Amino acid sequence: MTKQRKEVYGVLLEHRDHPTAQDVFLRSKERMPSISLATVYNCLEALVGHGLVRQVNFDRSPSRYCPNLEEHVHFQDEATGEIHDVVFKDGVRLEDFLELPQGVEVRELELTLKGTLPGSTTTRK
């Protein structure tokens, strides 16, 4: 783990707000002024490749990064653009709400939801 990767990973763990690579770059640059955007992209790719971070994609928006490795889904508030982690209720399994083929083994889950939260006001760029 290089010092740049530690910094990028630290930024992701500190904020947990599903930042874009550009967000991570700007936050990392505050503590490590010499870091480049290319280095941040390389660090994020390595962290995703090693299974320390998940890459989250919504339509054609820039990729976002999530350090939460627990099984969960992502909800994007369309009014604000914010992304929230949503966990499954205790005891609920995928088979409870998806018609999966007999004997299927799910190794990875990537589910994204969009909508608006009560009381959300538009602040999206």
Side-chain angles (χ1 to χ4, degrees):
M1 175 82 74
T2 65
K3 62 182 179 179
Q4 291 87 352
R5 286 182 190 170
K6 284 182 186 176
E7 176 60 32
V8 167
Y9 191 50
V11 165
L12 294 171
L13 291 175
E14 183 178 329
H15 296 286
R16 294 182 174 263
D17 60 349
H18 305 87
T20 64
Q22 181 71 27
D23 296 331
V24 174
F25 169 65
L26 294 173
R27 293 172 187 173
S28 297
K29 200 153 184 65
E30 290 176 13
R31 291 189 295 233
M32 188 177 274
S34 63
I35 197 165
S36 70
L37 181 57
T39 298
V40 168
Y41 272 108
N42 289 337
C43 291
L44 290 168
E45 184 177 317
L47 292 169
V48 169
H50 288 294
L52 296 171
V53 172
R54 290 183 183 179
Q55 186 173 348
V56 180
N57 297 300
F58 282 90
D59 297 329
R60 293 188 172 115
S61 299
S63 294
R64 294 175 172 266
Y65 297 89
C66 177
N68 182 354
L69 300 180
E70 299 297 318
E71 194 170 87
H72 69 284
V73 300
H74 291 103
F75 174 82
Q76 184 177 40
D77 184 347
E78 292 177 308
T80 65
E82 291 179 358
I83 297 174
H84 305 271
D85 287 347
V86 179
V87 298
F88 292 101
K89 292 181 179 181
D90 285 337
V92 173
R93 302 170 307 144
L94 286 176
E95 298 82 19
D96 295 337
F97 62 94
L98 293 177
E99 193 67 44
L100 296 170
Q102 182 86 19
V104 72
E105 180 184 327
V106 177
R107 287 192 257 305
E108 186 177 328
L109 171 72
E110 186 175 327
L111 181 61
T112 55
L113 307 168
K114 282 185 168 189
T116 53
L117 292 171
S120 289
T121 58
T122 304
T123 60
R124 201 168 186 194
K125 297 175 186 172

